[in-house]
Amino acid sequence: MEELIYFGILLLAVLGASIGSLYFARRSDVVARALIPDVASVGRETLVNVRVGVRTAVPTAPGWWIDTIPKGLSGSAEGIFPALGSGLRGNERVVELSYPVRGEKRGVHYLGPLSVRSTDPFGLARRSNVFGQRTAVTVAPAMVDLPPLIDYAGAAGGTLHTTTHQLGQGADNLVARPYVPGDSMRRIHWRATAHRDALMVRQEEQESTPEASVVIDRSALRWGAEAMSAPGEDPGFEAAVVACVSVVARLVHDGYAVDVLDTDGTVLVERIDGGDMTEVDVMLAQFATLIARRDDTLARLPRLFGGVFTGPIILIVGRFDLADAEAVAPVAQHSSLPLVFAVAPVGDALERAAFSGWHIGVIDPGADLAVAWSSAVGRGTNHALV
């Protein structure tokens, strides 16, 4: 009988030691996550690196870790948590974990918390530690690579170009002036430079930077109610956002200085200079949280371009009817390449817009945007009614 009592006490001691090892052996103070790249994108993978700071007084057995992935992301975030040696001095040990995630829905989502499931060395007890630190992940809209405006480089304001105004019949009659820092090397007048033994540039040669405007109509009346609630909820609005950022990226790459506007003139992104793809990345991060708004201001669009003639104007709308086509008709006369994309055109509205001078295209959430872009840009326009 005494032997059984001693054996029972021993079992209780072992069980207590097992439980105690789980509660006192491992403690985490810091969980930090870093993403590569910093901003995720819909449809692309991002690597998540997790650093876990662990303090342990006694050796610990391997465990199993799981990081919580929100609905806006997908992936598998789990694996073996390594065993740790004794740290009697209480020094922090850093455990590094990593896993890929894929962007599924535009917006700001939160990774975490991280949980680690531990088992004592005897396999008698199990404990899960949940570390509450969470990390915000910005998921930018997808960006489609669109074909360049090759056929419209001159007529539409094209890539950076130079125009020459000659005073006589030949280049010899061009007026030259001394070179100043900032002048393009293409403007150097080599004959005048050789004659004066100093760098000279052509005065009559003027460099111009082509401009373009991309306008997205965010009026909730033209989208589903979900477009106002949160990013990524309305498929039509998401297709419009993808079209917007893709068109901006294409124009910037082609050398245009691009303004990104709402139909009421609100600047959605500061002007992006031609060739500045870094600012395009900044725009993508800003568009991660773009949603629809209540006011309907499409009819005000002609006021934004009245009295000027500019390069391409790309208008992206949701629902688009005949009244809308009539309202935006004057804008086409102020652009070298007016183009309207509609997600949900009504009746003959796009055909009426084409008759006013617009190039027209339909954005289908399930179709290839590059094909729609090529078709719209390459489609001729009709003359407006007088």
Side-chain angles (χ1 to χ4, degrees):
M1 186 65 180
E2 293 181 356
E3 290 82 359
L4 291 176
I5 294 175
Y6 290 145
F7 185 71
I9 293 174
L10 178 61
L11 288 179
L12 290 174
V14 171
L15 181 59
S18 299
I19 296 174
S21 68
L22 292 179
Y23 278 87
F24 299 107
R26 177 181 293 153
R27 181 169 61 90
S28 176
D29 294 327
V30 178
V31 175
R33 300 176 184 86
L35 279 71
I36 304 175
D38 295 338
V39 177
S41 298
V42 173
R44 293 189 178 183
E45 283 195 347
T46 299
L47 181 65
V48 181
N49 292 320
V50 186
R51 292 172 60 88
V52 185
V54 180
R55 300 178 186 274
T56 177
V58 297
T60 62
W64 190 260
W65 64 270
I66 299 176
D67 207 5
T68 305
I69 298 179
K71 292 183 179 180
L73 301 168
S74 64
S76 178
E78 57 183 297
I80 297 175
F81 198 87
L84 298 174
S86 176
L88 295 178
R89 296 181 179 179
N91 294 331
E92 185 180 71
R93 310 293 181 87
V94 176
V95 177
E96 295 188 355
L97 314 169
S98 64
Y99 57 90
V101 293
R102 177 185 174 91
E104 298 294 342
K105 183 183 292 186
R106 186 173 58 90
V108 178
H109 311 285
Y110 290 87
L111 286 170
L114 175 75
S115 64
V116 178
R117 188 176 64 219
S118 305
T119 304
D120 73 282
F122 304 104
L124 299 177
R126 179 181 297 173
R127 182 192 179 195
S128 291
N129 292 329
V130 178
F131 310 125
Q133 293 95 333
R134 300 199 302 165
T135 302
V137 179
T138 299
V139 179
M143 189 171 68
V144 179
D145 187 15
L146 303 178
L149 294 175
I150 296 176
D151 295 338
Y152 292 86
T159 53
L160 294 178
H161 62 281
T162 301
T163 58
T164 302
H165 303 286
Q166 296 185 358
L167 300 179
Q169 297 298 320
D172 291 340
N173 290 330
L174 291 172
V175 176
R177 63 166 175 80
Y179 171 86
V180 296
D183 283 337
S184 171
M185 296 300 291
R186 293 181 300 169
R187 300 180 61 187
I188 293 178
H189 193 305
W190 294 109
R191 181 171 298 182
T193 295
H195 179 71
R196 301 191 183 187
D197 197 23
L199 282 177
M200 305 294 291
V201 296
R202 296 178 176 89
Q203 179 69 34
E204 275 63 47
E205 189 172 72
Q206 301 174 349
E207 293 183 354
S208 61
T209 300
E211 298 178 347
S213 299
V214 179
V215 183
I216 180 170
D217 185 359
R218 296 192 296 142
S219 171
L221 296 177
R222 304 180 186 282
W223 311 99
E226 299 84 358
M228 284 188 61
S229 61
E233 298 297 330
D234 181 358
F237 189 72
E238 293 309 299
V241 171
V242 170
C244 181
V245 298
S246 300
V247 170
V248 171
R250 178 71 266 167
L251 293 171
V252 170
H253 187 273
D254 285 349
Y256 291 91
V258 181
D259 292 311
V260 187
L261 311 169
D262 200 341
T263 51
D264 63 352
T266 300
V267 177
L268 301 179
V269 178
E270 292 298 326
R271 170 175 280 209
I272 304 176
D273 294 330
D276 192 349
M277 302 308 292
T278 300
E279 288 301 313
V280 172
D281 293 335
V282 174
M283 172 196 66
L284 288 173
Q286 292 176 336
F287 269 56
T289 56
L290 190 73
I291 59 175
R293 55 178 176 76
R294 294 187 181 278
D295 298 334
D296 184 9
T297 57
L298 183 61
R300 304 180 192 175
L301 189 64
R303 303 179 189 177
L304 302 182
F305 301 98
V308 300
F309 186 85
T310 184
I313 298 176
I314 290 80
L315 172 62
I316 301 169
V317 299
R319 185 180 183 276
F320 188 72
D321 58 25
L322 286 172
D324 299 325
E326 294 288 346
V328 302
V331 179
Q333 310 308 316
H334 297 271
S335 170
S336 59
L337 178 61
L339 193 156
V340 57
F341 277 117
V343 175
V346 179
D348 297 331
L350 283 180
E351 286 69 19
R352 181 64 185 88
F355 195 74
S356 300
W358 288 91
H359 291 248
I360 58 174
V362 177
I363 301 175
D364 185 343
D368 189 345
L369 178 63
V371 174
W373 166 260
S374 298
S375 176
V377 170
R379 182 180 298 175
T381 60
N382 298 314
H383 294 290
L385 281 172
V386 179

